[in-house]
Amino acid sequence: MERPSRGLPPHRPPGGQPTLKTIADLAGLGVTTVSRALKDGPELSIETKARVRAIADKIGYRPHRAGVRLKTGRTFVISLVLNQADDMSDYARRLIMGISEALRGTQYHLQVLPQNIDQDPIDPVRYVVDTAAADGLILTHSEPQDLRVKMLLERDFPFITFGRTELATPHPYIDTDNFDFTYRATQALIARQRKRIVIVLPPAQFTYSGHQLGGYRRALFEAGLKPRIAQGVDLYSPAFTLRTYANALATGSDAPDGIICGSEMQALGMILGFQEAGFVIGKDVDIVNKKTSNLLDLVQLPTLQFFEDLIRAGHDCAKFLLRRIEGQGPMSELQRLDLASFSEGVTHS
């Protein structure tokens, strides 16, 4: 039953952290109604739930995690295990933006667990599972026989991967079709009469490295061309390293006329290396890269770009994971393979 509202104070009420009763008094509602509103109870009107959440946000209400866990057995925490490889900042930021948007309006909060470069990838995952520090995990940088995924499947712990594995047991994932990306990227270069096409692959241990290699090889085979795989560098090499590598390629006896590089920062390094050797981008050599930000738009060069929407990927990873936690839907509805969208000449000199 509603009671007359006492109005909203401009700041958090005195005497410690605000409680459900604080919200109930301010909203003129019962404590049970407030609790159900914060849990998105379907029996309540949208207006009531919105009003309760607005009050909770205004006074800085946060549920007591220990109490919630004792009552429900849940933490209402989602953990993202974040790889700390070089030049991953924008990649991570966009994923986090998408995940955060998906969790908004729910009881869930995002926890980011860094995985250091010299750390065993399974360590942060084992920590979450052994300590029940979260209700679900989002993993990136999947490997074909991913030990993290094997452990999570064996422990029946909810998770989703951004990327695929080659394990026989199906699991939730969202991925970009990297075979299709490099297949179409290579075809785009061949259509521009490029014949000496070099690809910079992700590190070989990741599943999508094999996918990118497969698409590239298929397109070259169909055109009767030979593969040229970058040696001694990969997509995780620092941009300055790629700059030096590209300069060496450009000044060699058999310089490439086409480059496929799935990272914007690394592609920028290669662009600088070719330019320092006197190459004109779009004339002497064409560059194809994945577009996940506006970085290369700033340099005003005619690169060929395939857009990968990391914000959408993060958002939907979180949505799929919440469904997995609730036991909703068949596995086939918790898996999706996206195509990157091609843009020719996104920026112009």
Side-chain angles (χ1 to χ4, degrees), residues 40 105 132 167 206 251 253 323:
D40 199 26
L167 297 173
F206 299 127
T251 55
S253 59
R323 291 175 59 191

Side-chain angles (χ1 to χ4, degrees), residues 3-313:
R3 302 189 297 273
S5 175
R6 300 178 186 176
L8 286 180
H11 301 291
R12 179 178 298 170
Q17 295 291 328
T19 65
L20 291 176
K21 188 176 186 308
T22 310
I23 302 172
D25 288 344
L26 292 170
L29 299 170
V31 172
T32 301
T33 301
V34 168
S35 177
R36 289 174 179 167
L38 292 174
K39 293 177 182 176
D40 199 26
E43 71 278 12
L44 299 178
S45 69
I46 295 174
E47 292 77 13
T48 297
K49 289 186 282 189
R51 183 157 61 94
V52 168
R53 287 172 184 154
I55 294 172
D57 289 343
K58 187 173 183 68
I59 66 175
Y61 169 77
R62 296 292 181 269
H64 192 281
R65 289 287 160 197
V68 170
R69 186 165 181 169
L70 284 173
K71 289 179 181 178
T72 66
R74 291 187 179 181
T75 63
F76 290 102
V77 171
I78 296 297
S79 288
L80 167 66
V81 179
L82 185 61
N83 188 292
Q84 295 293 292
D86 287 343
D87 299 326
M88 296 295 291
S89 58
D90 196 66
Y91 170 94
R93 182 179 68 85
R94 289 175 178 267
L95 278 181
I96 290 170
M97 286 173 61
I99 296 168
S100 300
E101 179 60 30
L103 298 183
R104 202 162 110 189
T106 75
Q107 295 184 79
Y108 283 89
H109 293 259
L110 176 63
Q111 172 193 65
V112 178
L113 291 178
Q115 175 202 313
N116 297 322
I117 297 174
D118 59 350
Q119 184 181 21
D120 188 332
I122 206 168
D123 285 347
V125 176
R126 183 182 289 114
Y127 165 78
V128 170
V129 175
D130 288 348
T131 63
D135 295 332
L137 277 163
I138 299 175
L139 305 177
T140 63
H141 300 82
S142 304
E143 300 183 11
Q145 299 296 316
D146 202 303
L147 295 178
R148 304 169 303 170
V149 173
K150 286 183 178 181
M151 186 186 77
L152 292 167
L153 288 170
E154 290 170 359
R155 301 282 288 270
D156 193 27
F157 192 91
F159 73 96
I160 187 169
T161 58
F162 180 45
R164 286 171 288 168
T165 68
E166 295 177 359
L167 297 173
T169 304
H171 61 80
Y173 70 78
I174 288 176
D175 195 12
T176 301
D177 192 334
N178 281 281
F179 182 100
D180 177 78
F181 158 58
T182 53
Y183 180 75
R184 287 193 289 151
T186 307
Q187 286 187 320
L189 291 172
I190 292 171
R192 287 158 182 74
Q193 306 304 312
R194 303 308 188 185
K195 300 182 183 301
R196 302 183 303 280
I197 302 170
V198 171
I199 187 169
V200 181
L201 290 169
Q205 72 263 32
F206 299 127
T207 310
Y208 80 118
S209 180
H211 294 161
Q212 288 197 5
L213 179 59
Y216 167 72
R217 285 185 179 276
R218 171 69 66 83
L220 289 179
F221 175 79
E222 291 174 353
L225 300 176
K226 294 182 179 180
R228 294 170 175 238
I229 300 167
Q231 301 298 314
V233 295
D234 58 43
L235 278 187
Y236 288 12
S237 298
F240 284 104
T241 301
L242 269 298
R243 177 181 180 176
T244 301
Y245 175 75
N247 189 267
L249 285 180
T251 55
S253 59
D254 193 23
D257 54 14
I259 299 290
I260 301 173
C261 183
S263 163
E264 286 166 302
M265 183 63 74
Q266 278 61 28
L268 179 57
M270 298 200 76
I271 287 170
L272 293 174
F274 279 110
Q275 288 180 325
E276 289 169 354
F279 277 49
V280 176
I281 307 302
K283 179 182 177 183
D284 302 312
V285 62
D286 278 314
I287 308 282
V288 184
N289 67 278
K290 273 190 184 178
K291 176 182 173 70
T292 58
S293 71
N294 296 323
L295 176 64
L296 287 185
D297 293 346
L298 298 174
V299 301
Q300 294 292 295
L301 290 170
T303 60
L304 311 175
Q305 303 189 29
F306 284 77
F307 177 62
E308 181 177 24
D309 193 339
L310 294 178
I311 295 177
R312 177 175 181 251

